[in-house]
Amino acid sequence: MFDFSQFDPVFGSLDPFPYNRGFSQKVDASRKTLEGSLFVDRVLKALNLAQAVNIYPPKNESALRQLHDQISNSNNITVHHKLSLIYYLLLDIDDLGHDGKAEAFASRAGIPDRYQIFMKGLWFMDQLNFELALEHLTHPSLVSEFADDILTVLVRQSKDGDYTLPLAYYHTVQPVLQTSSALELLFDALARSDVPEAFEFSRSHADVMRRRLFQKLVLAVLDSPRDDDTAERAFELASLPFDPDEEMWFTECLESGEAKRLGVAKDTLLMRRIATGDSSFRGEKGTWAVVLEGVKKGSGGRTQA
């Protein structure tokens, strides 16, 4: 049986030593981008190997040997977890010019495919290659470990209002989120991407959180650059089938709550009155066009109606 606790058979020749100064600088930059911790840091801490975080990335072969020793000789983690962490290190070494070590190790050590897929997905997250990371982390064989952290990073790293990656992860994996911060970040992404879906998502939560999410939806829709898309999303919001509680929250939010400060608050309330068939607007030619234009411009254009 292959003895993975022996350094030389695992790592072989490392001349020149692959973990150079440039790689260490890259790791420092990635840690800052990834909320202060790499995903391998998170794995090490979850496995009670927090001291190993201080060694990664290893500055020399002696440090790499120490890191390997801490992983392979720990009494508190399973063999598969040890093998997975060593596999992660070998992915680094492959990327730094020693091709083939990771896959050869996985084959010799018999690492199950799902462990390889998961660790490679986390490795791509640490490389900030989020698209390739999701190709692995959405694999059907995986459970949704570190889902809160993955979603948090993907939402915060989304550019120009494009939440394709975090929503693809959420819709594919359907994780049960453990923290309110991750939940609210996901909801922000939903609210800025699909108003009806965000509305239904808010309804899937208990009263206090449901109201909070509903109010966040109103703000996410209306506190946006004024353009045709914002006006269309405001129309979607005002046309939703609110229940009595939601009707009250909507009015309160726009009349006396956080959304009152927005220039489109009164226009949006008018839009809701029209959508619900307020008799004072029946037959008034062009009302929708005028209100939509008010929302688009943020002018409060029909505030005296």
Side-chain angles (χ1 to χ4, degrees), residues 184-239:
E184 292 189 16
L185 279 170
L186 168 62
F187 187 76
D188 282 341
L190 285 170
R192 297 180 189 280
S193 304
D194 189 321
V195 172
E197 182 181 7
F199 175 61
E200 291 303 323
F201 183 88
S202 72
R203 285 183 155 185
S204 67
H205 292 78
D207 294 342
V208 174
M209 180 56 74
R210 178 186 168 200
R211 180 172 184 171
R212 179 174 175 79
L213 293 178
F214 181 86
Q215 292 170 335
K216 285 177 70 69
L217 173 59
V218 175
L219 288 168
V221 170
L222 300 181
D223 195 8
S224 303
R226 306 270 67 83
D227 54 24
D228 289 337
D229 182 63
T230 298
E232 181 61 30
R233 283 158 41 77
F235 167 72
E236 287 186 299
L237 175 67
S239 302

Side-chain angles (χ1 to χ4, degrees), residues 35-51:
E35 311 297 312
S37 292
L38 299 173
F39 280 88
V40 71
D41 298 340
R42 293 172 166 92
V43 173
L44 289 167
K45 290 174 183 177
L47 296 175
N48 296 313
L49 290 170
Q51 289 185 338

